[in-house]
Amino acid sequence: RPRVLSGIQPTADSYHLGNYLGAVRQWDALQADYEPFFFIADQHAITVEQDPKVLRRRTLVAAAQLLAAGVDPERSAIFVQSHLPEHAQLAWVMECLTGFGEARRMTQFKDKSAKGGEGASSVGLFAYPMLMAADILLYRPAYVPVGEDQRQHLELTRDLAQRFNSRYKKTFRLPEPYILKETAKIYDLQDPTSKMSKSASSPGGIIEMLDDPKVSAKKIRSAVTDSGSEIRFDEESKPGISNLLRIYSALTGSTVEKLEGEYVGRGYGDLKKDLAEVVVDFVTPFRTTTFELLDDQTHLMSVLEKGAEQAREVATRTLADVYERVGFVPPA
Ligand code: TYM
């Protein structure tokens, strides 16, 4: 079976709806037909300052949420990035293949470093995409299921794989991004022309999966809508309604066209009230399962241990190939 791989950062107390619909839901869906590797990117998290206690807690909360979202440890290797030193080891090789200007063109680096001033950014933040390339290439996956904001990093990963293959010897498979058009970008509820984001959204703009469902319902009911009154998918002139329809469709399986039909002659308030209920029904069991997994962490810890073992089998082999090809003398 071809492999799939993806990762998520433990940089918030909860996944938001964008993380779930854009990425994690696809992880669940792909398990049936692929050999999956999914991990918590704690090393990416420290590219910006983190409180160690908070990072530790969030890493476990992130792993518990993967299980609650249906990622199944019987079918998928679920692990923590820092448990596999091979990621950082391959990242160094990737950094040595990357041009300085090439790395500087990464839009996520530009956005994040612009916020604190380039002087305030770490070298780690600059090297982030090369660590991500290493994460991916170690497992030689066919697909990498992510949201739209990761597309540029995937392109760099493919360029680096190609460069390594032609400079040394064919070693890496060129991974394809797996980005579903419908949910590639979920927007902020208060500012529906920006993506829903843990670092940039205002609290009212972001649905946190582990939040009190009443709070999430209220956020949906207070989502910014557009002028006019017709419920119609039109990203240009109705970004707010389009975003709500997109979320509604993704959570219920009903197509956007069908929803438009059902809401003919009805108001924005009706749509928001109904979607609020859909969201509550969805997050309620998700929260319960996550909190249960965190109450007694024995199961969670054994999942992560087994996941790391499965990952190690693959990662050590790839790294050994890479070290041999770049000309490192193996230890006696
Ligand atoms: P992260 O932790 O920021 O986000 C996790 C996943 O959620 C997706 N996402 C969204 N999708 C749709 N709409 C949104 N508003 C939205 N916000 C976030 C992201 O695209 C991502 O798929 N660099 C990665 C983590 C990573 C990784 C990897 C991913 C590290 N190594 C290797 C894949 C392969 C990141 O910061 O994602």
Side-chain angles (χ1 to χ4, degrees):
R1 284 186 303 162
R3 294 197 185 119
V4 291
L5 168 132
S6 197
I8 186 163
Q9 293 196 65
T11 42
D13 284 324
S14 169
Y15 294 166
H16 59 68
L17 202 53
N19 298 138
Y20 176 74
L21 292 177
V24 176
R25 200 163 78 131
Q26 278 63 264
W27 303 6
D28 174 19
L30 289 166
Q31 293 177 109
D33 301 317
Y34 294 89
E35 185 191 355
F37 292 83
F38 300 124
F39 67 95
I40 312 300
D42 56 347
Q43 289 173 302
H44 277 100
I46 65 162
T47 55
V48 295
E49 193 175 340
Q50 301 290 336
D51 176 329
K53 273 209 277 321
V54 174
L55 179 61
R56 243 186 305 274
R57 185 186 72 232
R58 287 175 169 176
T59 299
L60 296 179
V61 176
Q65 288 180 96
L66 283 189
L67 301 193
V71 179
D72 174 6
E74 296 299 321
R75 296 189 285 176
S76 298
I78 304 167
F79 61 99
V80 176
Q81 186 184 32
S82 63
H83 293 181
L84 277 291
E86 291 80 6
H87 289 238
Q89 289 174 290
L90 183 59
W92 177 252
V93 178
M94 291 296 135
E95 283 162 45
C96 295
L97 279 179
T98 309
F100 201 85
E102 191 176 26
R104 202 164 36 200
R105 279 195 296 279
M106 294 291 116
T107 51
Q108 198 171 72
F109 172 72
K110 284 197 274 187
D111 293 348
K112 287 192 182 173
S113 59
K115 262 196 249 147
E118 203 171 320
S121 324
S122 66
V123 173
L125 188 65
F126 188 63
Y128 176 123
M130 288 71 95
L131 176 58
M132 180 161 162
D135 295 338
I136 297 169
L137 297 177
L138 267 179
Y139 300 90
R140 299 167 162 139
Y143 294 105
V144 182
V146 287
E148 181 61 38
D149 61 354
Q150 298 301 318
R151 188 186 290 279
Q152 197 188 28
H153 293 156
L154 257 296
E155 280 162 12
L156 176 72
T157 301
R158 290 171 56 89
D159 289 346
L160 294 176
Q162 183 101 59
R163 198 169 302 160
F164 187 98
N165 287 350
S166 64
R167 187 173 298 181
Y168 302 103
K169 179 178 172 198
K170 182 157 181 355
T171 304
F172 296 121
R173 176 176 185 146
L174 265 53
E176 298 281 346
Y178 183 91
I179 302 176
L180 289 190
K181 185 164 65 47
E182 294 76 11
T183 48
K185 194 166 176 185
I186 300 297
Y187 292 82
D188 186 316
L189 298 176
Q190 289 299 316
D191 173 12
T193 54
S194 309
K195 74 166 179 184
M196 187 179 284
S197 148
K198 47 199 160 194
S199 52
S201 292
S202 68
I206 179 171
I207 297 291
E208 310 236 30
M209 309 270 293
L210 297 178
D211 225 347
D212 180 343
K214 286 200 207 70
V215 173
S216 298
K218 185 144 181 282
K219 289 183 187 177
I220 296 278
R221 288 194 305 264
S222 351
V224 163
T225 40
D226 319 290
S227 57
S229 60
E230 202 189 341
I231 295 176
R232 179 166 53 81
F233 190 89
D234 178 344
E235 297 204 81
E236 284 286 304
S237 63
K238 289 180 177 280
I241 289 298
S242 301
N243 191 37
L244 296 178
L245 285 171
R246 193 184 283 115
I247 294 171
Y248 202 144
S249 163
L251 288 178
T252 58
S254 194
T255 63
V256 166
E257 296 71 47
K258 185 151 175 282
L259 290 170
E260 284 173 335
E262 285 169 13
Y263 282 93
V264 168
R266 296 167 69 193
Y268 289 168
D270 289 339
L271 175 73
K272 292 203 268 186
K273 192 167 134 290
D274 294 349
L275 178 56
E277 276 174 32
V278 167
V279 168
V280 168
D281 288 347
F282 174 69
V283 295
T284 303
F286 177 85
R287 295 173 81 231
T288 311
T289 312
T290 304
F291 295 145
E292 277 168 10
L293 286 160
L294 290 166
D295 253 357
D296 173 6
Q297 296 178 358
T298 340
H299 175 61
L300 192 59
M301 295 312 290
S302 76
V303 165
L304 296 176
E305 189 188 349
K306 178 171 151 247
E309 261 168 48
Q310 291 170 312
R312 197 169 295 122
E313 255 179 56
V314 179
T316 50
R317 251 183 284 140
T318 309
L319 190 73
D321 287 350
V322 168
Y323 272 22
E324 190 265 317
R325 281 156 204 190
V326 300
F328 292 163
V329 174

